[in-house]
Amino acid sequence: MATDMSPQRVIADWIAQQAYHAGSIEEHEDLIETGRLDSMGFIKLLFFLEDHFSIVIAPEEMDPADLRTIDAIVTLVQTKLQER
């Protein structure tokens, strides 16, 4: 993916490619309630985030709320990037 894309756009595009429900995704949309991603989708998302952004998200650091919306995911990624 292009490196000049914002984290929001990169994440939203990846989720849109994986999602079961077509259409645009809002940054505040609850990915669990809308069924955009299932449990396997969230695992794939974690691998994608770690690979694309070169971060590590340890299991003990995970909070399900950090993965409910694109806004929350971006906050998590930005926090992990600052820790590097």
Side-chain angles (χ1 to χ4, degrees):
M1 292 194 169
T3 56
D4 59 342
M5 292 176 65
S6 71
Q8 289 91 344
R9 184 78 274 135
V10 169
I11 294 165
D13 286 352
W14 186 89
I15 292 170
Q17 292 173 2
Q18 305 297 314
Y20 296 112
H21 306 285
S24 63
I25 301 172
E26 300 294 324
E27 281 79 15
H28 61 277
E29 180 180 326
D30 190 312
L31 301 171
I32 295 169
E33 287 184 12
T34 59
R36 292 284 188 170
L37 294 175
D38 60 10
S39 57
M40 187 56 133
F42 281 103
I43 292 170
K44 290 178 182 178
L45 173 63
L46 288 172
F47 283 119
F48 168 76
L49 296 173
E50 289 185 334
D51 182 57
H52 185 85
F53 294 103
S54 299
I55 59 175
V56 175
I57 305 168
E60 62 272 8
E61 298 174 321
M62 291 195 39
D63 179 348
D66 291 339
L67 300 172
R68 288 189 80 92
T69 67
I70 292 174
D71 286 337
I73 296 166
V74 169
T75 298
L76 171 66
V77 167
Q78 290 172 334
T79 299
K80 298 307 288 181
L81 287 171
Q82 291 174 356
E83 291 175 2
R84 292 192 299 177

